[in-house]
């Protein structure tokens, strides 16, 4: 049985594409057949995060407009052989695809794949409506920041309106030391405010930046906290019960280390 | 003096986390209910009708709004009473 999951947020830049790339790699590491569909037409990035930018021949619009069958537009990942990307066009805009076309595409993809992850554009306009159209469930990514949480609430309302009732939350870019000092909302606060089940909390991690530079999602790095967080989320998506991770505390020794520039 | 002590123990004021939590709760009630000024006005008129049966009020100074009380959100109506009605 396959699942179509849309990764969305409302607010821009909170980590939708990063999440899509990491969950895709993580599911493929478990030998699931996965396709990632970039619906951020005009602002495509998912190809870069996966290191596949030089291998694109056709795109989503070629498929929805019937120029090529979807299989011709899929780009297979070099390392993870069950992972595919369906890139979008960098020159067209959001009006180039409509919700009906995406529903039809998702139904075709279901025949071949276990997971279909859709990277949604920011906002609540047409691009969003198209991205969610074919989805069975949604992952809403937010950040511990009031404007991002407010936008997440708005998106949850829009998802409900579209009868998408299976919604999970990821809180991205948590800074444990700020939470500890009482200067940042934590996952429980946001959970409480939005009343949506959390499926993960991802710390702010420099390794996300370096791994993005390389085009190799951080989930494959064993020594990264964010990578561990993403692996946990993948486990939960696969139905495992995994407790939420404790972030390392800001202790006297970690402060001392910082002062002396270790770490 | 006490204030200085409180400062040392870090209790001098609400943490920004708490403030964020409370502000969000209020703004989301507004967002979700999407109470338009119109609806708020209608509600105000009806409240005035009911309350006026029992007391004489100063309609123009009446205020109605959503507010947050530490951990909950309340609909607050401020209705200046001129005098009670008798019988
Ligand atoms: N956990 C994290 N730690 C550190 N940096 C992060 C983390 N998550 C995301 N970022 C960084 O935040 C930026 C935005 O991430 P990303 O592009 O995934 O967001 P997005 O929601 O897809 O944005 P858009 O709305 O523009 O599509 C990127 O530079 C990314 O590297
Ligand atoms: Mg993106």
């Amino acid at each position: 049985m396959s699942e179509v999951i849309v990764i969305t947020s409302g607010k821009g830049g909170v980590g939708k594409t990063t999440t899509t790339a990491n969950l895709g790699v993580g599911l493929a590491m478990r030998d699931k057949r996965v396709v990632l569909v970039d619906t951020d037409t005009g602002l495509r990035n998912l190809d870069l995060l996966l290191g596949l930018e030089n291998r694109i021949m056709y795109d989503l619009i070629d498929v929805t407009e019937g120029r090529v069958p979807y299989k011709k537009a899929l780009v297979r990942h070099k390392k993870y052989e069950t992972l595919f990307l369906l890139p979008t066009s960098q020159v067209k805009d959001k009006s180039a695809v409509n919700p009906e076309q995406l529903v039809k595409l998702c139904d075709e993809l279901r025949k071949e794949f276990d997971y279909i992850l859709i990277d949604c554009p920011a906002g609540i306009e047409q691009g969003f409506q198209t991205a969610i159209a074919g989805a069975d469930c949604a992952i809403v990514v937010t950040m511990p920041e009031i404007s991002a949480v407010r936008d997440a609430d708005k998106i949850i309302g829009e998802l409900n309106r579209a009868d998408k009732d299976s919604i999970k939350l990821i809180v991205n870019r948590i800074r444990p030391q700020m939470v500890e000092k009482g200067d940042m909302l934590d996952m429980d606060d946001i959970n409480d405010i939005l009343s949506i089940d959390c499926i993960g909390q991802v710390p702010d991690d420099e390794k996300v930046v370096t791994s993005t530079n390389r085009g190799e999602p951080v989930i494959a790095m064993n020594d990264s906290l964010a990578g561990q967080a993403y692996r946990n989320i993948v486990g939960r998506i696969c139905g495992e019960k995994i407790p939420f991770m404790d972030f390392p505390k800001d202790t006297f020794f970690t402060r001392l280390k910082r002062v002396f520039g270790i770490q | 003096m006490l204030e200085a002590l409180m400062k040392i123990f870090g209790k001098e004021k609400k943490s920004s986390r708490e403030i964020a939590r409370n502000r969000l709760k209020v703004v989301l009630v507004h967002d979700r209910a999407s109470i338009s000024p119109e609806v708020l006005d209608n509600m105000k008129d009806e409240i005035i009708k009911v309350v006026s049966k029992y007391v004489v009020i100063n309609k123009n100074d009446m205020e109605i709004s959503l507010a947050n009380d530490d951990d909950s959100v309340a609909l607050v109506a401020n209705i200046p009473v001129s005098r009670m009605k008798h019988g």
Side-chain angles (χ1 to χ4, degrees):
Chain A
M1 230 209 25
S2 49
E3 217 176 345
V4 182
I5 308 175
V6 61
I7 289 92
T8 181
S9 71
K11 190 171 164 68
V14 300
K16 294 176 291 295
T17 305
T18 306
T19 302
T20 308
N22 278 287
L23 299 186
V25 168
L27 288 164
M29 285 175 7
R30 290 173 173 245
D31 293 326
K32 306 285 185 197
R33 284 168 309 160
V34 189
V35 60
L36 309 181
V37 183
D38 190 347
T39 63
D40 203 349
T41 304
L43 293 168
R44 79 172 184 215
N45 282 326
L46 194 49
D47 52 339
L48 282 175
L49 268 63
L50 293 163
L52 298 177
E53 68 275 16
N54 292 325
R55 304 183 37 205
I56 294 172
M57 299 283 291
Y58 299 101
D59 61 46
L60 178 68
I61 316 300
D62 294 319
V63 176
T64 52
E65 292 184 349
R67 278 188 291 279
V68 297
Y70 80 79
K71 280 188 185 162
K72 268 198 124 159
L74 292 183
V75 184
R76 184 195 284 263
H77 198 277
K78 292 163 274 189
K79 195 158 158 201
Y80 310 101
E81 301 225 311
T82 59
L83 177 63
F84 292 81
L85 169 69
L86 179 50
T88 192
S89 161
Q90 179 70 350
V91 290
K92 301 267 174 49
D93 64 52
K94 305 287 189 285
S95 65
V97 200
N98 65 43
E100 293 74 36
Q101 290 169 324
L102 214 76
V103 171
K104 185 161 159 267
L105 173 67
C106 288
D107 285 340
E108 276 185 71
L109 293 171
R110 280 177 205 271
K111 296 179 196 145
E112 290 286 323
F113 294 96
D114 300 315
Y115 289 95
I116 298 131
L117 305 188
I118 299 173
D119 183 19
C120 182
I124 50 170
E125 291 81 23
Q126 191 193 346
F128 163 78
Q129 298 295 346
T130 299
I132 68 169
D136 305 315
C137 49
I139 291 179
V140 174
V141 182
T142 190
M143 278 176 30
E145 193 201 278
I146 52 178
S147 51
V149 176
R150 181 190 200 173
D151 291 0
D153 192 72
K154 175 91 180 186
I155 281 294
I156 291 162
E158 292 293 325
L159 287 165
N160 285 333
R161 215 194 308 277
D163 286 325
K164 310 283 174 192
D165 296 323
S166 173
I167 308 173
K168 296 272 189 286
L169 191 73
I170 291 179
V171 182
N172 188 27
R173 308 198 72 162
I174 294 178
R175 293 163 70 176
Q177 284 154 16
M178 285 190 74
V179 172
E180 221 182 320
K181 277 195 285 182
D183 275 332
M184 186 179 265
L185 296 164
D186 72 1
M187 186 184 69
D188 291 331
D189 294 332
I190 295 171
N191 204 4
D192 178 39
I193 291 164
L194 296 178
S195 317
I196 286 286
D197 287 340
C198 266
I199 197 171
Q201 49 174 343
V202 182
D204 197 85
D205 187 342
E206 288 177 5
K207 295 214 170 73
V208 172
V209 180
T210 54
S211 70
T212 303
N213 288 344
R214 290 180 213 282
E216 297 166 3
V218 73
I219 191 165
M221 291 173 80
N222 285 321
D223 58 345
S224 150
L225 219 52
Q228 182 61 50
Y230 284 122
R231 286 193 291 279
N232 290 351
I233 296 170
V234 169
R236 291 184 197 112
I237 290 175
C238 295
E240 293 164 19
K241 286 242 169 306
I242 301 171
F244 287 106
M245 62 201 282
D246 280 327
F247 295 125
K249 290 266 183 294
D250 189 28
T251 62
F252 176 70
F253 289 106
T254 58
R255 279 197 296 271
L256 203 65
K257 274 188 186 167
R258 254 206 313 279
V259 170
F260 289 102
I262 313 168
Q263 241 226 334
Chain B
M1 175 64 197
L2 188 63
E3 205 174 294
L5 268 179
M6 301 262 271
K7 240 182 201 143
I8 293 170
F9 291 106
K11 291 206 166 135
E12 89 276 24
K13 56 177 183 221
K14 273 195 191 155
S15 68
S16 72
R17 171 186 175 183
E18 267 176 273
I19 295 168
R21 212 165 39 199
N22 289 337
R23 291 179 60 207
L24 266 168
K25 281 187 178 163
V26 176
V27 81
L28 291 188
V29 170
H30 273 284
D31 288 0
R32 285 173 191 165
S34 58
I35 299 187
S36 60
E38 246 171 281
V39 171
L40 217 55
D41 259 359
N42 289 345
M43 191 150 70
K44 196 165 145 184
D45 287 345
E46 292 202 38
I47 292 174
I48 290 175
K49 256 189 230 155
V50 175
V51 177
S52 303
K53 280 195 206 164
Y54 305 98
V55 292
V56 179
I57 61 174
N58 185 347
K59 287 175 200 166
N60 296 332
D61 290 346
M62 177 173 168
E63 262 174 35
I64 176 165
S65 62
L66 291 166
N68 61 322
D69 217 15
D70 273 352
D71 251 2
S72 61
V73 179
L75 180 69
V76 179
N78 194 340
I79 312 174
V81 176
S82 308
R83 62 187 162 79
M84 301 303 286
K85 278 192 175 169
H86 291 291

